Amino acid sequence: MRTQVVIIGGGPSGLLLAQLLHRQGIATVVLERRTREYVLGRIRAGVLERGLVALMEQAGVGDRMHREGLEHDGALISYGDQMFRIDLKAHTGNGVMVYGQTELTRDLYEAREAAGGEMVFNVADVEIKDADSDRPHVTYRVGTETHRLDCDFIAGCDGFHGVSRQSIPPDRKREYEKTYPFGWLGILSETPPVSDELIYATSTRGFALCSMRNARLSRYYIQCPDSDRVEDWSDAAFWEELKCRIPPAQAEALITGPSIEKSIAPLRSFVCEPMQWGRLFLCGDAAHIVPPTGAKGLNTAASDVQYLYAGLRAFYEDGKMGGLAAYSAKALSRIWKAERFSWWFSTLMHRHPEMSEFDHKMQIADLEFLRSNAAAQKAMAENYVGLPY
Ligand code: APR
Ligand code: PHB
């Protein structure tokens, strides 16, 4: 078989790229190792920058997002019993869209299916061949049958544990990593959110986040030791700890309920350079990971997709390779700024085990400065709503 672009990975990156290319008549095949249902069962962050909102509209899948998504013009930051608001709209002219990644991915799947998009599920043993030539191909197995797909280009949208990044020879790439000595214990509950806007909270007991999916579905997180297991935490223990980390008024107003999902996510910063090798291009989590504090995972995947889509479109329309040749440098420039913001916000808001009392005083001073200084708030707001593509 032959196609123009093979996309490895049927998560948000792969599906969004496939849908954008389809609308330009560029043929793709998406290879996904799981089932559609498994992919849609993943619970992930749901804060969309304006760039991703625009890409979803461009892909023709923005209707439900605009119907059901929540436009947020601000976000709240609390420390101890203090709380202040970052007025995103006033500082930047933009807000963010709160819309679950699961729903975004569902919309993309439905669009691909409606368009007759080629997607192969339950693939195994994906191998990338001759990526450093102008005739690359991919082999993969479904059941007992092995297949070959010849193509012009390969998009590695297969996440942190995928095969694409591993297909770049070790001596042709460099990886940067920082791990954090804590994780996020998150729950989903069919309860009304405690606040109309997200609350990023820090206290001497650690970080907490009050988020939501809609007016009837709340998402909460608390920082926990990286040695914790989800079975160590009952729902009651979670709610009690959350109440200790948010301001008294919100703790009092919090409506608790049984968790319908509960999990622990590790925190990691990671970047692979470069993000391309020959005709293989890495997109999204395949190339970089951020701690979820700044909600930049999906949003940096989106800007990668935009850059790669533009480069591929220029190739197929005009035969120009310039956009593709510049892809890695352009994507990395924006990714490193998102890595910095995510690292900075994580450091500001989490209680690090090895923190001294002086370090904690520095955190409070940072928070007091952010609270009182318009320039500091503007800088934070610009990063949070999304730096330009
Ligand atoms: N072959 C085929 N598919 C694979 C392979 C493989 N060898 N390895 C992984 N995959 C699939 C995974 O099953 C997953 O569905 O690739 C997909 C990668 O999706 P994500 O991990 O969601 O990565 P991405 O699409 O870049 O989206 C980034 O999603 O995970 C969140 O926090 C992340 O918000 C960010 C966004
Ligand atoms: C979420 O709703 O899951 C969420 C929101 C904002 C973040 C991280 C996660 O920064």
Side-chain angles (χ1 to χ4, degrees), residues 109-346:
Y109 265 120
E110 289 176 359
R112 297 304 303 127
E113 285 154 0
E118 287 211 59
M119 295 181 285
V120 185
F121 294 99
N122 296 312
V123 303
D125 302 336
V126 172
E127 289 189 40
I128 294 168
K129 307 280 183 60
D130 299 330
D132 56 343
S133 78
D134 58 3
R135 300 172 64 81
H137 69 278
V138 171
T139 60
Y140 64 92
R141 178 171 57 82
V142 177
T144 57
E145 203 172 336
T146 296
H147 303 265
R148 170 174 167 144
L149 254 179
D150 290 278
C151 55
D152 299 326
F153 301 101
I154 302 165
C157 301
D158 48 350
F160 185 68
H161 301 290
V163 67
S164 298
R165 187 177 70 252
Q166 307 307 332
S167 301
I168 300 178
D171 63 341
R172 306 297 296 271
K173 64 187 174 189
R174 183 166 178 185
E175 297 180 349
Y176 303 82
E177 185 164 19
K178 176 180 179 60
T179 56
Y180 299 79
F182 39 77
W184 278 19
L185 167 62
I187 71 160
L188 203 58
S189 63
E190 290 172 324
T191 54
V194 72
S195 164
D196 292 340
E197 294 179 328
L198 273 61
I199 302 176
Y200 290 87
T202 189
S203 77
T204 54
R205 299 173 70 101
F207 171 81
L209 172 59
C210 303
S211 183
M212 66 207 63
R213 293 292 174 267
N214 57 52
R216 300 166 306 284
L217 194 58
S218 296
R219 180 69 168 164
Y220 294 104
Y221 298 93
I222 57 173
Q223 169 189 347
C224 65
D226 53 6
S227 54
D228 274 12
R229 297 165 305 145
V230 67
E231 50 268 26
D232 297 341
W233 285 87
S234 68
D235 286 4
F238 179 91
W239 292 120
E240 276 320 298
E241 188 56 37
L242 176 65
K243 287 178 182 176
C244 293
R245 301 189 187 186
I246 59 179
Q250 283 66 37
E252 180 67 29
L254 183 69
I255 297 175
T256 65
S259 59
I260 58 172
E261 191 276 343
K262 184 157 61 177
S263 54
I264 292 181
L267 270 65
R268 175 190 285 120
S269 300
F270 175 89
V271 178
C272 173
E273 290 189 350
M275 290 174 52
Q276 66 191 91
W277 182 57
R279 292 196 169 209
L280 167 64
F281 298 86
L282 305 184
C283 247
D285 276 16
H288 44 79
I289 298 287
V290 285
T293 322
K296 293 303 170 197
L298 180 58
N299 291 298
T300 45
S303 47
D304 292 349
V305 166
Q306 165 57 29
Y307 300 145
L308 183 53
Y309 161 66
L312 289 167
R313 187 176 168 184
F315 173 80
Y316 284 109
E317 285 177 355
D318 312 317
K320 290 178 181 167
M321 288 290 281
L324 292 173
Y327 166 74
S328 181
K330 189 170 179 67
L332 284 166
S333 170
R334 189 174 192 270
I335 285 157
W336 277 114
K337 296 185 186 79
E339 291 282 348
R340 184 213 64 85
F341 173 68
S342 303
W343 161 80
W344 167 80
F345 200 19
S346 299

Side-chain angles (χ1 to χ4, degrees), residues 328-379:
S328 181
K330 189 170 179 67
L332 284 166
S333 170
R334 189 174 192 270
I335 285 157
W336 277 114
K337 296 185 186 79
E339 291 282 348
R340 184 213 64 85
F341 173 68
S342 303
W343 161 80
W344 167 80
F345 200 19
S346 299
T347 305
L348 177 67
M349 298 300 288
H350 288 76
R351 185 83 180 171
H352 295 246
E354 78 289 349
M355 264 177 82
S356 66
E357 279 315 301
F358 177 84
D359 296 331
H360 185 52
K361 294 297 272 185
M362 289 298 97
Q363 271 187 331
I364 298 302
D366 243 340
L367 286 160
E368 292 283 1
F369 178 68
L370 182 62
R371 178 178 196 165
S372 61
N373 186 282
Q377 290 201 12
K378 180 174 174 57

